């Protein structure tokens, strides 16, 4: 009789064990970033195979990469990490003006970076199908550009929510999680820029 009562009181499985150190949103984003690093790793493997194993020239003979323009674009993207941090600190301290200005500035800097990248594609003088170097160049920079586009989408939602007053000092996950992703995008571009344009 007692066992029947216990069985009757039990409704569904017990609650899932949750770590007190890592929140689900952060863990999910970190696992996603790890998978993206592996994706970039596949493209970098092709790049290093071409240069180290095949000893092919980089870029292909007769082509030149716009290092100066890419360097300025890199500075633009790096500065967007600082404005993203400014926005997050504004959210944590309840400073709505800093939050909104930081998010909007980050969004504009990211959009500028993407527009400069597209303009570079238009004027660079070679296409992905011209040679292996072109395929890898467009593959790496295009993959990163796709990640920038995703980041801009997340930032757009966060910016709209910030201007509608959705975030508070205690609840600002909608700023933190896109911020983590945006910093990842920035760091990955530094790796791409140093590897593809400078080495």
């Amino acid at each position: 009789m007692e066992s029947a009562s216990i069985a009757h009181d039990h409704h569904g499985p017990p609650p899932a064990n949750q770590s007190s150190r890592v929140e689900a949103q952060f863990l999910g984003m970190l696992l996603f970033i790890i998978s993206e690093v592996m994706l970039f790793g596949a493209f970098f493997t092709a790049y290093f195979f071409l240069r180290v194993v095949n000893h092919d020239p980089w870029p292909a003979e007769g082509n030149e990469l716009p290092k100066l323009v890419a360097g300025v674009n890199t500075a633009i993207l790096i500065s967007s990490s600082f404005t993203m941090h400014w926005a997050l600190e504004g959210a944590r301290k309840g400073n709505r003006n800093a939050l909104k200005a930081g998010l909007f500035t980050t969004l504009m800097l990211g959009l500028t970076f993407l527009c400069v990248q597209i303009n570079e594609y238009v004027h660079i003088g070679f296409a992905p199908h011209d040679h292996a170097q072109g395929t890898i160049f467009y593959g790496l920079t295009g993959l990163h550009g796709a990640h920038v586009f995703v980041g801009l989408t997340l930032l757009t939602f966060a910016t709209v929510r910030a201007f509608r007053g959705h975030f508070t000092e205690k609840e600002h996950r909608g700023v933190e999680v896109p911020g983590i992703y945006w910093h990842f995008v920035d760091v990955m571009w530094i790796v791409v820029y140093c590897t593809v344009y400078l080495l």
Side-chain angles (χ1 to χ4, degrees), residues 66 69 73 112-125 138:
V69 173
N73 217 18
T112 301
F113 172 89
L114 198 58
C115 289
V116 171
Q117 189 76 52
I118 293 171
N119 184 66
E120 179 183 310
Y121 286 168
V122 172
H123 296 96
I124 200 165
Y138 278 94

Side-chain angles (χ1 to χ4, degrees), residues 18-166:
Q18 294 184 350
S19 171
S20 59
R21 295 184 179 182
V22 182
E23 295 184 4
Q25 296 94 333
F26 288 111
L27 182 60
M29 181 55 73
L30 289 176
L31 291 174
F32 173 72
I33 287 173
I34 290 170
S35 71
E36 294 303 286
V37 168
M38 290 189 286
L39 177 61
F40 273 97
F43 282 83
F44 278 115
T45 300
Y47 166 83
F48 284 112
F49 181 86
L50 185 72
R51 294 197 65 178
V52 177
V53 178
N54 281 7
H55 302 289
D56 289 346
W58 184 268
E61 293 180 2
N63 298 124
E64 189 173 343
L65 298 179
K67 296 180 181 179
L68 181 59
V69 173
V72 173
N73 217 18
T74 301
I76 290 172
L77 198 61
I78 291 174
S79 65
S80 72
S81 267
F82 291 99
T83 56
M84 187 69 233
H85 179 72
W86 177 33
L88 183 54
E89 286 301 305
R92 288 172 176 162
K93 296 176 181 177
N95 186 341
R96 289 198 174 277
N97 290 331
L99 169 63
K100 292 187 286 188
L103 282 173
F104 182 75
T105 305
T106 304
L107 183 63
M108 290 299 102
L109 289 170
L111 188 60
T112 301
F113 172 89
L114 198 58
C115 289
V116 171
Q117 189 76 52
I118 293 171
N119 184 66
E120 179 183 310
Y121 286 168
V122 172
H123 296 96
I124 200 165
F126 61 86
H129 56 76
D130 288 342
H131 36 64
Q133 292 91 331
T135 302
I136 294 172
F137 172 82
Y138 278 94
L140 270 170
T141 58
L143 178 66
H144 180 268
H147 282 75
V148 171
F149 179 79
V150 171
L152 289 175
T153 303
L154 296 175
L155 286 173
T156 299
F157 285 120
T159 303
V160 170
R161 291 186 63 196
F163 275 86
R164 290 184 176 180
H166 288 189

Side-chain angles (χ1 to χ4, degrees), residues 1-12:
M1 188 73 175
E2 183 178 350
S3 61
S5 175
I6 293 174
H8 180 71
D9 291 339
H10 181 71
H11 300 287

